[in-house]
Amino acid sequence: SEAKAANIPVIDYDRLVLGGSAAYYASYDGVSVGVQQGQCLVDAMAKINKPTGQIIMIDGSPTDNNATLFGQGAHSVIDKSTLKKVSEQAIPGWDNTQAGKTFQQLLTANGNKVDGVYVMNDGMAGPVIQVLTANGLNGKVPVTGQDATAAGLQAILKGDQTCTIYKDATAEANAAASLAVDLIQGKTPDGLVPSHDPTGNRDVPSILLKPELITKDNVGDPIKSGAVPYASVCTGDYVALCTA
């Protein structure tokens, strides 16, 4: 509010503050993230010949607007597919441990049967994969993720996770910085699109970068870019998988 009073434009970074007053927003396209995750799951289920299989969805925090956007994108693909959603649960605070416990409960409630799991990020996918492993289902059940973490990339190399989403933090920071420079120089920024703030009932001019879907085929991309250190992924048993 002080910046606004001084006529200084504020840029929301990575997350749009709902009900806020930022003049601009710089982030990755959240809906696109969800679309890529949903398509990854649909494609993976078709590949294992279970296009009508049962899926469980583990979502991020219900108070995080980014999670809302990811969910919108994922549902736009999954809801029009032939997959059968048996349950869906949002995890407060993106809590990894709670995600594992919740998934175990949902799996038990469905008779320990599941054909695919939509998980919104790699952190929560880890405990989900632990539960699948305990039930002898890891590697047989497609699992999605996001953030291209070292653990997520290892799970993809191992075959326990199907995909993740890579959002280069450097590209995001550069986009926000370029936007700030344009504003300081009095230029009209190029390529802005509206991001809707339902709480404030307004559209915020935004730079929304396109995320990259990571599967076993391009698992090296986040490492080659320097975002994830080679040594944190390609260690121990993973060295041979990285080489392959």
Side-chain angles (χ1 to χ4, degrees):
S1 59
E2 289 179 22
K4 194 173 184 181
N7 208 25
I8 300 171
V10 173
I11 302 168
D12 273 350
Y13 181 72
D14 196 62
R15 277 174 174 75
L16 184 63
V17 177
L18 299 185
S21 58
Y24 297 93
Y25 174 48
S27 185
Y28 275 87
D29 186 336
V31 174
S32 179
V33 168
V35 168
Q36 290 182 330
Q37 290 175 320
Q39 195 61 56
C40 164
L41 185 61
V42 169
D43 292 346
M45 296 285 281
K47 198 171 182 181
I48 60 171
N49 202 27
K50 291 187 178 176
T52 59
Q54 299 184 11
I55 65 165
I56 291 173
M57 299 182 71
I58 300 295
D59 301 337
S61 177
T63 58
D64 184 347
N65 187 56
N66 277 4
T68 301
L69 297 174
F70 304 149
Q72 285 175 5
H75 276 287
S76 74
V77 176
I78 292 171
D79 292 355
K80 67 182 181 184
S81 75
T82 52
L83 297 179
K84 183 187 177 189
K85 185 187 79 173
V86 293
S87 52
E88 179 173 14
Q89 190 68 50
I91 306 299
W94 297 84
D95 187 280
N96 297 343
T97 303
Q98 186 58 51
K101 290 178 181 176
T102 298
F103 176 68
Q104 177 65 76
Q105 291 165 357
L106 298 176
L107 183 64
T108 302
N110 201 47
N112 287 333
K113 293 179 181 176
V114 70
D115 299 308
V117 191
Y118 170 84
V119 190
M120 223 169 240
N121 74 354
D122 293 354
M124 298 191 298
V128 165
I129 290 168
Q130 287 178 354
V131 173
L132 290 171
T133 303
N135 286 274
L137 295 171
N138 62 304
K140 302 171 186 174
V141 173
V143 178
T144 66
Q146 179 180 189
D147 295 328
T149 64
L153 297 180
Q154 287 179 330
I156 289 174
L157 283 165
K158 192 177 177 184
D160 287 346
Q161 188 171 322
T162 312
C163 58
T164 187
I165 303 292
Y166 174 41
K167 300 178 293 187
D168 187 345
T170 302
E172 187 176 13
N174 286 344
S178 296
L179 175 57
V181 170
D182 281 348
L183 296 175
I184 290 167
Q185 294 179 345
K187 295 179 183 175
T188 303
D190 291 329
L192 297 178
V193 295
S195 288
H196 189 63
D197 170 7
T199 303
N201 193 26
R202 68 191 192 107
D203 289 321
V204 183
S206 310
I207 292 177
L208 299 178
L209 303 178
K210 186 167 177 55
E212 180 184 1
L213 178 73
I214 300 295
T215 63
K216 195 172 275 190
D217 291 339
N218 62 343
V219 72
D221 284 5
I223 299 172
K224 290 172 190 168
S225 74
V228 184
Y230 176 90
S232 66
V233 177
C234 306
T235 178
D237 293 342
Y238 294 99
V239 173
L241 293 172
C242 285
T243 305

